[in-house]
Amino acid sequence: MIDRRPNYYDTFQCLGGSCPDTCCRDWSVALDGDALADYAAAPSPLRERVARNLVADEDGDVCFRLDETGLCALLTPDGLCAIQRDWGEEHLCAHCAAYPRFIEEFGCLTESSLAVSCPEAARLLLEAPRFTLIEADDGIEDPPFEGVDPDLLRGLEHSRAQVLALLDGGAGAIWEKLRALLIHAETLQGFIGRGEYGRMASLPLPPTGGPDPSRRQGPAVPLLELLAGLDPLRPSWPELLKERAKQLSALSPADYPALRTGYERANPRWERQLSNLACYLVFRHWHKAVNDDALYGRAAFVCAACSVLYHLSLFQPGEEAALWTRFSREVEHDEDNLSQLIWALDRWIAADFI
Ligand code: SF4
């Protein structure tokens, strides 16, 4: 079994009460039977407080109640969880204890990462000198889970390693690399569609280079509008996207490159930051095609995320981590939004958004 994770994974520490955008907001945390049994045995008065703040969500799952501002009712004024503060971290439910860590398991392979919906995880990714994976192999040859095609998984492993190497250290500007990623994914998707998984491992990456594909503001506008049409977690998100789409549309052909040049000069790490983001998204989403064959849409999602977050950053320099966090909460953590976006982007070609 291979175990893989980004090298900054183990440095994560929750910011607790200093967090600029706590995860104890807006999300309904479904509690399992073990957690409910544990809370029924909590010391008083915590036990009564928990019991008073349990509600059923629309699926009938028992969750902590959110107050009128969207904050978890168990959150204390000092920004800490009452269960953790008054009883101990070991009594957090599985969801709260794990976040922002997430694990993908394929039987022969386990991958862990930190969701950038957490501001501290976003900061770690933003400031990482490179996106590097560390790997441990216990030497035991576990088979993939039932339903996971080993040849498809092998093809995804090979192609993702190629793409990560390109994004992290390959030659060319980030936009050229993203364009190459899409071209590569399109060919891979054809192999997947025909069940020719064996050909995935021998496909070379397309070359980068050619004219800079990113100097028109046009493609970013429909992308912002597409995202603004998704079901929002917070109403302020689509409002922001629509406002930025309007501002971008209003820029003259001279003002747009000037805005970009000013941003890139003021933030010399912008390309590294975007490469790290692209690598994180590829690492997190590429292998999910093993479940539904939809690789191209996921590659397009990576490009769309980079384009959208770059263009939002032009108007909010220095707030990259906060923007990544908002995007991740709105899209990555909402399965309906994510699959809707992947499905929509499956029809877009590189020129549509890079
Ligand atoms: S969002 Fe991250 S840093 Fe903030 S409270 Fe949650 S886990 Fe901690």
Side-chain angles (χ1 to χ4, degrees), residues 270-345:
W270 74 271
E271 198 161 5
R272 167 45 55 190
Q273 292 168 353
L274 222 47
S275 297
N276 285 357
L277 177 69
C279 287
Y280 156 82
L281 292 169
V282 166
F283 179 61
R284 183 167 180 184
H285 295 280
W286 193 266
H287 280 16
K288 289 187 179 167
V290 84
N291 300 316
D292 59 8
D293 289 354
L295 183 63
Y296 181 80
R298 289 189 166 83
F301 165 69
V302 173
C303 297
C306 289
S307 178
V308 161
L309 289 167
Y310 171 83
H311 283 91
L312 292 177
S313 300
L314 295 180
F315 297 92
Q316 292 170 251
E319 295 180 42
E320 288 82 2
L323 291 166
W324 294 8
T325 292
R326 294 185 71 179
F327 173 86
S328 178
R329 289 183 183 201
E330 295 284 346
V331 182
E332 273 194 301
H333 282 272
D334 186 313
E335 277 181 34
D336 289 342
N337 279 349
L338 182 59
S339 53
Q340 205 177 319
L341 196 55
I342 289 171
W343 181 83
L345 292 169

Side-chain angles (χ1 to χ4, degrees), residues 43-336:
S44 193
L46 180 65
R47 182 174 65 248
E48 292 78 11
R49 180 174 178 180
V50 171
R52 269 199 314 277
N53 287 295
L54 295 178
V55 293
D57 68 8
E58 62 267 24
D59 299 323
D61 292 321
V62 179
C63 302
F64 294 125
R65 185 177 65 77
L66 302 179
D67 72 12
E68 56 288 348
T69 66
L71 287 172
C72 175
L74 272 294
L75 198 66
T76 59
D78 51 12
L80 300 172
C81 170
I83 294 171
Q84 180 172 6
R85 188 192 66 179
D86 299 345
W87 196 19
E89 191 174 352
E90 66 276 19
H91 294 287
L92 290 174
C93 71
H95 282 298
C96 294
Y99 183 84
R101 302 165 193 87
F102 63 86
I103 295 177
E104 297 285 350
E105 294 181 300
F106 302 92
C108 51
L109 172 66
T110 298
E111 297 192 330
S112 312
S113 195
L114 299 171
V116 296
S117 53
C118 160
E120 177 61 4
R123 186 193 66 77
L124 288 171
L125 179 65
L126 189 84
E127 295 181 1
R130 309 214 23 190
F131 186 87
T132 308
L133 295 172
I134 50 175
E135 192 173 289
D137 188 344
D138 63 8
I140 299 171
E141 291 278 329
D142 296 297
F145 285 143
E146 199 179 330
V148 173
D149 189 299
D151 293 330
L152 176 55
L153 184 58
R154 203 171 299 119
L156 291 170
E157 276 274 276
H158 180 84
S159 55
R160 191 184 64 178
Q162 284 177 303
V163 165
L164 287 175
L166 170 71
L167 292 170
D168 186 58
I174 180 69
W175 306 116
E176 296 167 24
K177 295 179 191 177
L178 291 173
R179 184 169 58 178
L181 158 66
L182 274 181
I183 295 166
H184 197 52
E186 192 178 6
T187 311
L188 291 167
Q189 187 67 68
F191 292 158
I192 293 171
R194 297 189 293 278
E196 297 170 352
Y197 304 141
R199 298 184 67 187
M200 295 173 74
S202 57
L203 182 70
L205 278 172
T208 51
D212 183 344
S214 64
R215 288 289 142 184
R216 300 168 297 126
Q217 73 258 49
V221 173
L223 261 186
L224 290 163
E225 289 168 345
L226 177 67
L227 259 73
L230 299 175
D231 189 23
L233 185 67
R234 296 179 188 169
S236 59
W237 174 246
E239 286 165 15
L240 174 78
L241 297 171
K242 285 180 198 162
E243 176 63 20
R244 296 296 181 245
K246 211 189 301 174
Q247 289 172 295
L248 268 178
S249 300
L251 290 174
S252 72
D255 287 344
Y256 175 69
L259 180 67
R260 291 183 58 154
T261 303
Y263 171 74
E264 291 171 11
R265 279 207 187 118
N267 178 16
R269 289 199 79 246
W270 74 271
E271 198 161 5
R272 167 45 55 190
Q273 292 168 353
L274 222 47
S275 297
N276 285 357
L277 177 69
C279 287
Y280 156 82
L281 292 169
V282 166
F283 179 61
R284 183 167 180 184
H285 295 280
W286 193 266
H287 280 16
K288 289 187 179 167
V290 84
N291 300 316
D292 59 8
D293 289 354
L295 183 63
Y296 181 80
R298 289 189 166 83
F301 165 69
V302 173
C303 297
C306 289
S307 178
V308 161
L309 289 167
Y310 171 83
H311 283 91
L312 292 177
S313 300
L314 295 180
F315 297 92
Q316 292 170 251
E319 295 180 42
E320 288 82 2
L323 291 166
W324 294 8
T325 292
R326 294 185 71 179
F327 173 86
S328 178
R329 289 183 183 201
E330 295 284 346
V331 182
E332 273 194 301
H333 282 272
D334 186 313
E335 277 181 34
D336 289 342

Side-chain angles (χ1 to χ4, degrees), residues 12-25 27 75 79-80 96 98-101 115-122 325 329:
F12 172 78
Q13 281 197 312
C14 173
L15 300 176
S18 311
C19 181
D21 195 359
T22 175
C23 49
C24 305
R25 170 174 242 148
W27 282 325
L75 198 66
L80 300 172
C96 294
Y99 183 84
R101 302 165 193 87
V116 296
S117 53
C118 160
E120 177 61 4
T325 292
R329 289 183 183 201

